[in-house]
Amino acid sequence: VIINSHCHLDFLNAKDNGGIVPSIGKQNWGKASNYQNFALGIHPWQVENHNLKDLEVLEQKIQELLPIGVGEIGLDFCIKTNKNTQIKFFEKQLNLAQKYNLPVIIHGVKSCDEIIKILKNYNLKIQIHAFNGSPQQGQKLLDLGCYLSFGLYKKSIKLTNFIKKIPLDKILIETDEKPSKDLIIVADEIADLKQIPVADFVKICNQNIYQLFTNYKNV
Ligand SMILES: [Zn+2]
């Protein structure tokens, strides 16, 4: 079995229950919680549809529904939503993760430097999902202990070369907003870069999930 470290609700196979299902906001916290392994959070794209009161509701839901992580959260500087508002929601959710001792799932687009700066103030277990920053940013995130997660998107030569250097115990694979059945394509691609057999690579990725998401429940 290959564990999908990040697959959104609408892209799961009906039968496919073996993966981590992030939520994007209050509209799907309940739905996500129907899965064995889900995370609760407010995605940066959804920040404008939420207010500070919703963060209190999020905390109640964390207590009530017991997610395995806080996510998907983060910063996206390619969207119009005010940066400071995004940072406020991001930091408040990092505080919740710290309070409830949960790992976080982070979405970062054109915001890696800001994310690195903020994460330095926390002591958290972190998945950087769909990492697409520079090798320098990637190295800084690894230095902070982050796991870097890769999906089906096109990768630059720089990123490809960087992936070859990431320690195997810090890599995760995901499908995000692509069909979960395509996870094997990602596994093949990254195993090839790491020059190890895909079956071995998949085992390592699954181990990494257990290390990061310590409450992960095998289905
Ligand atoms: Zn996502």
Side-chain angles (χ1 to χ4, degrees):
V1 183
I2 323 180
I3 301 174
N4 197 336
S5 78
H6 189 99
C7 185
H8 286 277
L9 282 159
D10 297 342
F11 301 88
L12 288 163
N13 268 325
K15 282 190 228 156
D16 186 359
N17 212 6
I20 295 170
V21 180
S23 58
I24 57 167
K26 57 186 172 185
Q27 67 270 42
N28 68 6
W29 291 336
K31 214 177 160 198
S33 72
N34 291 326
Y35 290 83
Q36 286 270 1
N37 297 289
F38 65 95
L40 296 182
I42 301 167
H43 192 291
W45 297 350
Q46 293 294 326
V47 159
E48 56 185 14
N49 301 323
H50 290 75
N51 55 45
L52 294 176
K53 202 100 193 114
D54 292 320
L55 286 162
E56 290 170 28
V57 179
L58 175 60
E59 179 163 9
Q60 287 161 17
K61 293 288 174 193
I62 289 172
Q63 293 172 352
E64 198 180 300
L65 302 171
L66 306 174
I68 64 162
V70 171
E72 174 171 354
I73 65 174
L75 301 174
D76 191 326
F77 292 166
C78 281
I79 57 171
K80 281 190 199 142
T81 311
N82 180 281
K83 283 186 187 180
N84 290 327
T85 311
Q86 287 193 47
I87 290 169
K88 189 185 239 176
F89 273 80
F90 183 46
E91 290 182 327
K92 292 216 179 261
Q93 294 183 91
L94 292 173
N95 293 341
L96 285 177
Q98 200 149 268
K99 182 170 174 187
Y100 292 94
N101 198 20
L102 290 168
V104 291
I105 301 160
I106 295 182
H107 165 108
V109 174
K110 298 272 180 255
S111 58
C112 270
D113 290 335
E114 190 68 39
I115 287 174
I116 291 162
K117 201 174 103 192
I118 292 170
L119 289 179
K120 282 185 179 157
N121 303 320
Y122 292 86
N123 180 18
L124 286 166
K125 291 175 119 180
I126 300 153
Q127 173 185 16
I128 304 291
H129 121 78
F131 176 71
N132 205 8
S134 70
Q136 292 76 16
Q137 290 167 332
Q139 189 53 51
K140 283 183 192 164
L141 290 164
L142 288 172
D143 292 343
L144 286 167
C146 299
Y147 290 72
L148 304 182
S149 183
F150 298 94
L152 282 158
Y153 49 94
K154 194 159 164 30
K155 298 162 192 75
S156 67
I157 294 172
K158 258 191 194 169
L159 181 59
T160 305
N161 287 330
F162 176 65
I163 292 172
K164 291 179 186 170
K165 295 184 198 138
I166 300 174
L168 275 169
D169 64 354
K170 291 293 178 188
I171 295 187
L172 296 170
I173 51 174
E174 60 172 77
T175 55
D176 196 20
E177 293 185 314
K178 303 268 169 61
S180 58
K181 64 173 174 53
D182 291 348
L183 188 61
I184 186 64
I185 301 172
V186 188
D188 275 331
E189 179 194 348
I190 311 291
D192 196 46
L193 292 176
K194 304 307 279 181
Q195 296 189 293
I196 60 167
V198 68
D200 297 344
F201 179 65
V202 163
K203 268 185 211 153
I204 293 167
C205 289
N206 289 355
Q207 281 305 323
N208 293 344
I209 297 257
Y210 306 142
Q211 288 295 323
L212 174 58
F213 296 95
T214 43
N215 294 328
Y216 186 86
K217 296 172 267 313
N218 262 308
V219 183

